[in-house]
Amino acid sequence: MREIVIVGGGYAGFYTAWRLEKTLRRSEARVTVVDPRPYMTYQPFLPEVTAGSVEARHAAVSLRRHLRRTRLIAGSVTEIRNAGRTVTVRLANGADQRLRYDVLVVTAGAVTRTFPVPGVAEQAIGLKHVEEAVAIRDRLMTAFDQAGSLPPGPERRKLLTVTFVGGGFSGVEGFGELLSLATAMLKSYPELSVDDLQFHLVEAQGRILPEVGNKAGAWVVDSLERRGARVHLNTQLMSAEHGHVVLSDGEEFDSALIVWTAGNASNPVVHNHTDLPVDERGLLMVRPDLRVGTDSEPVPGVWAAGDDAAVPDLASPVPGAYTVPNAQHAVRQAKRLAKNIVASLRGGSLRHYRHSSLGVVATLGLGRGIFQYKRIVIKGFPAWLMHRGYHVLAVPTWERKVRVLSVWFTAALFGRDLVSLLSVQHPRKAFVNGGEPDRSDASEAHPQPSRRPAVSSAPPNNRA
């Protein structure tokens, strides 16, 4: 029995294992997926999770429910040593386990790219996992509850100030959806007005959404500013200590909610803890057939796909181009990768990965969106419908499609479910306090993450 080990259960890892289950005979190989989380996150739904338009669990696809013939190990891969055909896995209890493999698939995914900006590690929150999206939504709703009982002034202004750092798809979509949620919540808070809301989007480059054209990107900026937001282009975050935001353009303000979406960095395991070949950006060197290695020297039995792999883009007119790290490519790479693995096990021929982009689509809040395919640009409500239609078709399994559609249908009839569940992050507080008033409520409303240096393990020129 040959052992196939898949590092990572995200898009590429999940779809590779799913397709292998459907294709491999039971006696051909055993598939093992290693991931610390028991689910695959459908990241395009995270902005809508922050706005309450999609339930958090509906953006997560259970690995055990859908990978019935795959061995699942809950842990993080800390080292890959292809010389010994082993990976080291750190389990939840802290123990290390070594797995041997005949075939290795590296789909560890990217991590959030950070920089050593004072205060970011203590104040900011990312938008890459379901837990983060839920926390962002609940913190905004809790801030509204607290601001509604305060008189106009600096404290209320800080509670209702939201800052997003990063103008890529994740940042712009999350920003637009959260702005839409905040505007809708004002109807339930007559003591607050739209003038109390302060939404800031900070982008170091001269434009946002680099995947769309200049005119389309400018239209998005104009659309957000017409809704009362501030978009700071060619601007960097200099400091965020104690929630006091300092920008490179000289502007300063207090912000209770800071969301960091400034791109991706290569996974530290791939970049620092493997003997597999990586390029100058810390990405695995991958051939067009998705085998790790170069055209002249493939690494036997090792494959890679997704955000931590430098996959040649054969559909691009630019020589030497690589596929962009998005879900569209990760899913299709996984399907081709699974077919090539089966072909290699059975002595068949391998095929190159080639996929032409279907265009890009983004949500900018309820009823607002943008779509672009080559020179075709669609804006507003039709683009928003296209966004929802595409992603409800793309999310894996019919069970998840039906659940998401049911939430959207219910919201269309009754509106958003505006309930904060921030208290679930502190489930023992009521039990411990025994009904006594808790004087730490203000600090609990915006809990601080653990202190860690906001320094990426990847070089600063890593692609986002």
Side-chain angles (χ1 to χ4, degrees), residues 20 26 41 51 72 84 93 170 223 335 339 364 379 400 413 425 449:
L20 288 174
R26 289 184 180 271
T41 302
L72 299 173
N93 62 3
S170 178
S223 173
K335 294 177 180 179
K339 292 178 181 179
L364 303 175
K379 308 170 185 175
R400 276 295 178 265
L413 291 178
Q425 299 179 29

Side-chain angles (χ1 to χ4, degrees), residues 174-441:
F175 185 79
E177 286 287 348
L178 206 64
L179 176 60
S180 178
L181 171 63
T183 304
M185 289 178 63
L186 288 174
K187 299 177 182 178
S188 302
Y189 293 83
E191 59 270 50
L192 302 177
S193 70
V194 68
D195 294 332
D196 292 315
L197 297 180
Q198 299 291 327
F199 271 68
H200 298 266
L201 176 62
V202 181
E203 168 55 42
Q205 304 299 318
R207 51 166 301 180
I208 61 175
L209 294 180
E211 293 86 351
V212 304
N214 291 331
K215 290 185 178 180
W219 178 85
V220 173
V221 171
D222 184 62
S223 173
L224 293 173
E225 290 185 337
R226 286 200 309 268
R227 294 160 59 189
R230 289 280 308 280
V231 179
H232 304 264
L233 300 179
N234 295 311
T235 306
Q236 296 179 352
L237 176 65
M238 306 304 293
S239 175
E241 291 186 297
H242 308 294
H244 183 70
V245 173
V246 179
L247 303 180
S248 61
D249 62 4
E251 187 166 352
E252 300 183 23
F253 51 86
D254 291 329
S255 180
L257 180 56
I258 302 172
V259 184
W260 183 274
T261 60
N264 296 328
S266 61
N267 195 296
V269 174
V270 172
H271 187 232
N272 301 324
H273 305 291
T274 180
D275 56 357
L276 296 171
V278 296
D279 64 12
E280 67 280 359
R281 300 164 298 172
L283 304 176
L284 287 171
M285 299 174 65
V286 176
R287 294 157 50 97
D289 58 13
L290 301 178
R291 284 185 292 177
V292 172
T294 62
D295 290 338
S296 58
E297 297 184 16
V299 179
V302 182
W303 310 73
D307 291 356
D308 57 12
V311 179
D313 190 354
L314 302 184
S316 173
V318 180
Y322 296 98
T323 58
V324 296
N326 60 23
Q328 188 179 139
H329 280 296
V331 170
R332 287 165 175 80
Q333 287 171 8
K335 294 177 180 179
R336 169 49 51 200
L337 192 154
K339 292 178 181 179
N340 281 352
I341 289 176
V342 174
S344 68
L345 294 178
R346 297 174 181 174
S349 58
L350 308 182
R351 295 180 57 185
H352 289 175
Y353 171 75
R354 183 186 183 94
H355 171 67
S356 297
S357 174
L358 301 176
V360 292
V361 62
T363 174
L364 303 175
L366 191 64
R368 301 175 176 89
I370 187 166
F371 167 82
Q372 179 170 342
Y373 175 69
K374 296 183 178 179
R375 295 186 178 181
I376 301 174
V377 178
I378 300 175
K379 308 170 185 175
F381 186 74
W384 176 78
L385 286 179
M386 295 173 67
H387 176 273
R388 285 204 161 183
Y390 172 79
H391 285 299
V392 80
L393 291 174
V395 67
T397 79
W398 280 102
E399 171 255 344
R400 276 295 178 265
K401 300 179 197 296
V402 172
R403 290 183 186 273
V404 171
L405 283 172
S406 66
V407 173
W408 285 344
F409 178 74
T410 304
L413 291 178
F414 304 107
R416 302 173 191 258
D417 192 357
L418 303 179
V419 178
S420 171
L421 296 177
L422 187 65
S423 58
V424 302
Q425 299 179 29
H426 311 278
R428 297 184 64 251
K429 188 166 72 171
F431 173 75
V432 171
N433 291 343
E436 290 291 332
D438 187 357
R439 299 183 183 279
S440 63
D441 283 346

